[in-house]
């Protein structure tokens, strides 16, 4: 499995999960988690854009849309609900929180942060809410535009524009109603994944080989974004411009990253480590917080020294990797293998296997 994967895309996903882990294990580097999640969003859109282009290239039918939903849900829903159920005893017995069942019920339909910031319960799930609503909503306008007789390229472009404009309106509405943490409100963040789709469409239809130009544009946008972050008085979570530019800058770099090669016969352990981090990243993302805080709870009073604190964090990292590997092998993969086969187009715009 590892040998057939695209190293560059595995590297991007591995980098994203490392940034998230470092930010949560070491609060001094908290800002890195922001970049890690935005990279996840960009990568998700980049891969999903290619998948959706491929399946809609065949034509247009409700079966194509339902098949897309089914395949995404088989891939993402089981792990989400597994940890949702685990979070209930975790918050009761470990974090000593009072459980508000009316709030928790929202998590069963990804309603926890649709137009608001979610509660502290299962906090890591805010980004999954963004992903799931994107899966559900994005294919619908494409389907409708295709029904109206538009070509594939026009249907995608109109849908991308629709999502950009809608998210801009939602963000301004949230600010007007006093919600300033725009980063974690799902209906205002769908544009972050849309940026990945935009670059996928550019790659497939215009200049696939000119990845250097796209990467340069992405680098310039990223540097500009860092400048805005440094000199802006606003936090990045309430800046409409930054929340648009960061995932867009990452998206433009992805075609170049996808072309990264790794020596076939040298340092195979590095290539395998990157591939495994990529494969296990979903479980790592969901499991690392409960594992780390459970260790904090069990070692309460024993971590007064720097050595003990670091030891707990190292142990937490090791357990996170082991648990995530086990979940991937014995839970994620068996359920993912049960998803229906993809509806295949009769003429493909490209033939490269997509890793998602």
């Amino acid at each position: 499995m590892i040998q057939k994967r695209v190293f560059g895309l595995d590297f991007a996903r591995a980098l994203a999960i490392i940034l998230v882990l470092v930010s949560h294990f070491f609060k001094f580097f908290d800002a890195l988690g922001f970049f890690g999640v935005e990279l996840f969003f960009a990568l998700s859109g980049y891969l999903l854009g290619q998948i959706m282009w491929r399946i809609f290239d065949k034509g247009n039918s409700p079966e194509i849309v339902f098949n897309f939903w089914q395949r995404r849900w088989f891939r993402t829903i089981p792990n989400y609900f597994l940890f949702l159920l685990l979070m209930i005893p975790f918050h009761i017995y470990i974090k000593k929180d009072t459980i508000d069942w009316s709030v928790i019920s929202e998590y069963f339909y990804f309603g926890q942060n649709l137009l608001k910031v979610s509660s502290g319960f299962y906090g890591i799930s805010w980004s999954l809410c963004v992903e799931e609503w994107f899966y559900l909503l994005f294919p619908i306008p494409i389907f409708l535009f295709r029904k109206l007789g538009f070509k594939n390229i026009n249907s995608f472009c109109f849908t991308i524009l629709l999502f950009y404009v809608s998210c801009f309106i939602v963000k301004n509405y949230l600010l007007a109603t006093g919600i300033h943490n725009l980063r974690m409100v799902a209906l205002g963040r769908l544009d972050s994944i849309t940026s990945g789709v935009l670059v996928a469409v550019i790659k497939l239809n215009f200049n696939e080989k000119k990845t250097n130009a796209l990467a340069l544009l992405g680098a310039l946008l990223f540097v500009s974004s860092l400048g805005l972050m440094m000199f802006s008085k606003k936090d990045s979570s309430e800046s409409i411009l930054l929340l648009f530019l960061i995932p867009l800058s990452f998206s433009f770099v992805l075609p170049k990253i996808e072309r990264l090669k790794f020596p076939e016969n040298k340092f195979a352990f590095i290539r395998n480590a990157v591939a495994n981090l990529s494969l296990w990243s979903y479980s790592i993302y969901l499991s690392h917080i409960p594992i780390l805080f459970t260790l904090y709870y069990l070692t309460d009073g024993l971590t007064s020294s720097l050595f003990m604190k670091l030891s707990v964090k190292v142990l937490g990292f090791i357990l996170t990797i082991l648990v995530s590997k086990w979940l991937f092998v014995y839970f994620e993969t068996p359920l993912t293998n049960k998803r229906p086969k993809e509806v295949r187009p009769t003429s493909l715009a490209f033939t490269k296997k997509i890793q998602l």
Side-chain angles (χ1 to χ4, degrees):
M1 183 189 303
I2 289 177
Q3 292 179 350
K4 296 180 181 179
R5 300 180 65 82
V6 178
F7 173 78
L9 298 181
D10 277 338
F11 174 78
R13 191 181 282 110
L15 175 61
I17 196 59
I18 288 172
L19 292 174
V20 171
L21 286 176
V22 170
S23 72
H24 289 164
F25 277 68
F26 302 97
K27 282 300 180 182
F28 180 79
F29 299 104
D30 188 58
L32 295 180
F34 168 74
F35 295 114
V37 174
E38 299 307 308
L39 178 55
F40 268 127
F41 284 155
L43 181 60
S44 179
Y46 181 69
L47 296 174
L48 287 170
Q50 295 178 69
I51 291 172
M52 285 187 285
W53 182 274
R54 182 173 68 211
I55 62 177
F56 278 105
D57 184 61
K58 178 180 181 180
N60 193 48
S61 70
E63 290 75 19
I64 288 177
V65 177
F66 284 119
N67 177 261
F68 173 80
W69 286 337
Q70 286 177 305
R71 288 180 59 79
R72 297 313 312 142
W73 290 336
F74 265 94
R75 174 69 182 88
T76 59
I77 293 292
N79 249 15
Y80 171 84
F81 276 102
L82 172 65
F83 279 91
L84 173 57
L85 296 176
L86 289 174
M87 285 301 102
I88 296 174
F90 172 77
H91 277 268
I92 292 175
Y93 298 109
I94 304 298
K95 299 201 75 176
K96 308 297 182 183
D97 292 338
T98 300
I99 298 296
D100 186 339
W101 296 104
S102 63
V103 171
I104 292 176
S105 65
E106 297 176 345
Y107 287 75
F108 285 88
Y109 60 89
F110 296 97
Q112 63 266 38
N113 55 301
L114 266 179
L115 279 172
K116 62 180 181 179
V117 179
S118 58
S119 67
F121 177 83
Y122 200 9
I124 203 79
S125 70
W126 73 268
S127 61
L128 304 179
C129 187
V130 177
E131 293 273 357
E132 294 299 332
W133 281 101
F134 182 86
Y135 302 156
L136 179 66
L137 296 176
F138 199 85
I140 296 175
I142 298 175
F143 170 78
L144 294 176
F145 283 127
R146 295 280 277 151
K147 277 292 184 184
L148 292 173
F150 290 99
K151 295 181 179 179
N152 216 26
I153 181 66
N154 294 330
S155 299
F156 271 80
C157 289
F158 290 150
T159 301
I160 289 168
L161 180 62
L162 174 65
F163 269 62
Y164 276 148
V165 172
S166 299
C167 290
F168 179 77
I169 292 172
V170 169
K171 290 191 187 79
N172 279 282
Y173 165 78
L174 293 170
L175 289 175
T177 56
I179 298 176
H180 294 279
N181 188 359
L182 305 177
R183 177 178 175 240
M184 296 184 177
V185 181
L187 292 185
R189 295 306 322 279
L190 301 180
D191 57 345
S192 59
I193 306 178
T194 301
S195 292
V197 177
L198 170 65
V199 174
V201 172
I202 292 173
K203 169 196 169 185
L204 295 172
N205 292 277
F206 297 101
N207 286 309
E208 181 176 356
K209 295 183 179 180
K210 294 188 176 180
T211 56
N212 289 336
L214 290 175
L216 178 60
L217 177 58
L220 291 174
L221 288 176
F222 183 70
V223 171
S224 300
S225 300
L226 291 180
L228 286 174
M229 293 177 71
M230 291 176 61
F231 296 106
S232 175
K233 295 180 180 180
K234 288 185 177 181
D235 186 88
S236 57
S237 64
E238 60 178 310
S239 171
I240 294 177
L241 183 58
L242 280 174
L243 292 175
F244 173 74
L245 288 180
I246 294 293
L248 182 63
S249 66
F250 288 154
S251 298
F252 278 125
V253 176
L254 286 175
K256 181 65 176 179
I257 293 178
E258 186 177 10
R259 288 172 170 252
L260 287 178
K261 302 296 182 183
F262 196 88
E264 289 293 329
N265 300 317
K266 295 181 180 180
F267 307 107
F269 70 96
I270 296 178
R271 183 177 66 249
N272 292 342
V274 168
N276 284 329
L277 278 175
S278 175
L279 288 167
W280 306 338
S281 60
Y282 187 33
S283 290
I284 291 172
Y285 185 76
L286 291 172
S287 67
H288 74 279
I289 291 294
I291 288 174
L292 185 60
F293 276 83
T294 299
L295 287 176
Y296 287 161
Y297 172 77
L298 295 175
T299 59
D300 186 35
L302 301 175
T303 56
S304 56
S305 69
L306 178 61
F307 174 78
M308 286 301 299
K309 289 179 181 178
L310 289 176
S311 297
V312 169
K313 293 179 186 295
V314 170
L315 179 59
F317 175 77
I318 293 172
L319 287 176
T320 295
I321 297 300
L322 293 176
V323 169
S324 300
K325 176 183 178 181
W326 186 89
L327 283 171
F328 176 79
V329 173
Y330 297 106
F331 186 73
E332 277 189 70
T333 301
L335 289 172
T336 301
N337 289 340
K338 293 182 181 297
R339 63 183 178 177
K341 293 183 178 180
E342 182 182 296
V343 175
R344 284 293 180 180
T346 53
S347 61
L348 297 180
F350 58 95
T351 58
K352 181 181 288 187
K353 185 179 180 181
I354 301 299
Q355 296 178 188
L356 190 62

